[in-house]
Amino acid sequence: MGAEMEKWKEIWRRISEKKLWVFWTGAVLILTALWFTTLKACVLPVLKPFSTRLLVLYCVFSLFLLLFCFGLSFYLIKAKKIKTEKLFLVCCLTVGIVYMFILPPLTAPDEIAHYATAYKWSNVMMFKEAADEEGHVYMRAEDARAPFDHRNTKENYLTLADSFFKPCQSAETVVFDYKLVNTGPVPYIPQAVGITLGRLMNLGWAMTMFLGRLMNLLAFTGCVYWAIKRIPFGKMVLFSVAMLPMTMELISSMSYDTLALAMAILFTAVCLQYSQTADKIGKKEVAVLAVLLGLLAPCKTVYILLAGLCLLIPRKKFGSKRFYWISAGAVMGAAVLSLLLNNMTAIAGYIGTGENYISWAGEPGYTLGMLVKDPVRFLFLLFNTVREYAGFYLTHMIGYELGWRNICIGELAVLAFLFLLFLSCLKTEDEIEGMKSGQKAWCIVICLSIAFLIGMSMLFGWTPASWSFIEGIQGRYFLPILPLFLLTLRNNKIVLRKNMDKWIIVLAICFNALVVQKIAAVSLGTVF
């Protein structure tokens, strides 16, 4: 009997060793079949009469992504131990660049406004007049007349292919009549650097826009690489959140949400590192916290509440009570000073008048006095918003609708990425849990407080007073607090018997490959 059991155990051990090979073979067959199915059913009928060149470009990029998926899977199977942050560097840059091309310039949410604002700060970098008296930015005629709108169409892909390597045709300065984002320069530094490089090298509008996008992608990848390297636990949580379709769309565009998300992830990781593994907190560590929070605060003011994560660091690590309070004052002082210097115009606009008018609706908006006088209505407003839109916030945080909400990736893709997030927040039996119960509770309070401030900002800035729910909240606004929330779910009751990091990485790449195929199929087959 004992010999028979040993025989079956040996058979199971051999099968287990081959499981990743089986998964890799299955992924190759499934993704290849889906690629050919998409090409035959959705792409060929559209592109055959339109452009052979565009068909070739589509095939090249699709095959590149498929080969990357298969190559990475094969490498992970063969490799014994690989640092997660190095794998993230390769995965994020590769998939991000693919998203940059599959989603043409100005097709991401509000990217036209972000492009114009980044161009304004590029003018400042080049010591040129940034905008006219009405706030409209000055641009090269080449960049201002780029033939793009916010829709993903086959015409946009062809225009991009034709214009990508062309130099600047007209350097004449014109006014670009589009409303700018009312914020400071910090969230637009990477994009402005890229645009400036394109202008200095006399590149055309397409390459200039892509340089702006590329610098945004590089800034995010660098920050999250450092975050994954430093966080003492939950590395795959950061990896999975960074590989979500919505995250990929943002970081491959010129959106200012990119730097806010990057700084939030990095600040969270550093605070957890200092609270868990650092033996002593000195001037260097305090300076790092102050700089990171000083960069995060002006990106989006609501995320300044992440400063509460500093309270996770034990007071005894500071050496003395005096240094502890000096450090707290320095970190918060840096954040407040940076916020005031970068967003003074926007803050003055909010406090300059007691009235609130929602211009897009042509109606008065909510005021603080209205809520104080009628707290019951305020509670009903919050309840109604959560009841009506909780599912919308969750699915759109993942990336259910990309572009200007005109590319639906489907419920199955959302479920796949939710499963990925669930796997990433589970710990293995031999891994530390991380935070204690009290620390988890405090982190949840921070997440709920930030979510509340997001709601309040949209209530006062976007919601007419006649409406019974808060309008304008987007799922992507919750991405900066998603890693922190997922880290609080780690526990010793639901654990993995085996490390699943390789599986999570492979699944993230394969799921994104399918999303890219879906984007291409929808974009090329859509008639507007």
Side-chain angles (χ1 to χ4, degrees), residues 18-39:
K18 304 296 182 182
K19 278 193 289 188
L20 272 176
W21 284 103
V22 172
F23 173 80
W24 181 76
T25 305
V28 169
L29 295 175
I30 292 172
L31 285 175
T32 305
L34 285 171
W35 179 76
F36 278 111
T37 302
T38 304
L39 185 67

Side-chain angles (χ1 to χ4, degrees), residues 86 94 99 115 180 182 221 305 317 388 417 431 457:
K86 291 184 178 179
T94 305
Y99 269 83
Y115 170 57
L180 303 181
N182 189 16
T221 305
L305 292 187
K317 290 189 177 185
E388 291 289 335
F417 280 99
E431 189 181 5
S457 66

Side-chain angles (χ1 to χ4, degrees), residues 113-135:
H114 295 308
Y115 170 57
T117 309
Y119 211 104
K120 168 190 170 183
W121 296 112
S122 171
N123 287 338
V124 174
M125 289 181 180
M126 297 179 70
F127 302 101
K128 295 185 176 182
E129 190 174 359
D132 63 14
E133 295 178 354
E134 297 180 0

Side-chain angles (χ1 to χ4, degrees), residues 35 39 42-63 101-105 148 151-164 210 517 519-526:
W35 179 76
L39 185 67
C42 301
V43 180
L44 284 177
V46 176
L47 294 185
K48 263 188 175 179
F50 190 76
S51 171
T52 304
R53 183 169 66 259
L54 189 55
L55 175 60
V56 171
L57 287 173
Y58 171 80
C59 292
V60 168
F61 276 106
S62 298
L63 284 173
F101 283 94
I102 207 70
L103 293 169
F148 268 102
R151 301 174 297 175
N152 286 64
T153 62
K154 54 185 180 292
E155 289 82 6
N156 276 355
Y157 288 125
L158 186 59
T159 302
L160 179 62
D162 286 336
S163 306
F164 195 74
F210 269 90
Q517 293 296 311
I519 294 171
V522 172
S523 300
L524 297 174
T526 299

Side-chain angles (χ1 to χ4, degrees), residues 14 22 45 136 141 248 331-332 334-335 342 416 428 461 463:
R14 291 180 180 180
V22 172
H136 299 140
M248 281 289 129
V331 173
M332 286 307 302
N342 284 275
T428 56
T463 307

